Amino acid sequence: MIVIVVVVVVIAQGGSDESTTPAPGRTTTDTTPREKTQEPRGERADLTTFQLDDRSEAGITNIWVAWTIKNSSSEQSDYSWDWEAVDAGGTRLTNGSQLETDVQPGQTARGEYPTTLKSVKGVKLNITNFNRTVSY
């Protein structure tokens, strides 16, 4: 059995081309890395959104990463990716790894995970590694 894994390294350059409308009382910062002149290609394009979601209330910090995966392949797939959050000066504030499994062809999967970030102001997310493999 041969499993082909393509690793795509994407480093965010510049601002985001997308905007979102958050739920009332929430701030969502779309920081999905995008090339300035072209959209991601191949497997990486299946990660359609990856953003910070500031759910802080009443002085309590509560910032999550949220994502949407859409399986554009013809096979049930598992996705894993590594990310980092950096400030305007390029200093890494936090990083992590995310996983979505058993996503059917054409299916959309959404997920979220808490962070240790204290603010979303000036923070960018970089995808440092991205993999899609066939699920069995």
Side-chain angles (χ1 to χ4, degrees):
M1 169 174 24
I2 299 176
V3 176
I4 299 174
V5 178
V6 176
V7 177
V8 179
V9 177
V10 179
I11 299 174
Q13 301 272 335
S16 173
D17 294 343
E18 297 179 10
S19 62
T20 59
T21 305
R26 292 165 74 180
T27 303
T28 302
T29 304
D30 184 356
T31 52
T32 304
R34 302 275 192 232
E35 294 290 330
K36 284 187 174 186
T37 57
Q38 66 187 52
E39 293 293 312
R41 290 188 216 153
E43 298 167 350
R44 169 58 182 84
D46 286 2
L47 182 62
T48 60
T49 64
F50 188 62
Q51 60 198 19
L52 293 172
D53 186 0
D54 188 347
R55 303 171 183 182
S56 301
E57 290 184 50
I60 298 172
T61 303
N62 187 15
I63 301 171
W64 294 61
V65 290
W67 61 86
T68 304
I69 292 274
K70 180 163 173 85
N71 185 351
S72 62
S73 78
S74 61
E75 300 174 299
Q76 179 176 313
S77 300
D78 297 333
Y79 296 88
S80 64
W81 66 99
D82 300 323
W83 59 272
E84 66 181 2
V86 296
D87 66 15
T91 301
R92 180 190 283 179
L93 304 172
T94 189
N95 66 320
S97 297
Q98 303 309 138
L99 179 67
E100 279 292 338
T101 60
D102 302 322
V103 183
Q104 300 297 321
Q107 186 177 43
T108 297
R110 290 183 174 81
E112 54 189 19
Y113 195 80
T115 73
T116 58
L117 292 170
K118 303 297 182 208
S119 172
V120 296
K121 185 175 181 179
V123 176
K124 292 189 183 237
L125 291 176
N126 296 327
I127 305 298
T128 57
N129 189 353
F130 188 87
N131 296 298
R132 182 189 71 81
T133 56
V134 176
S135 299
Y136 294 100

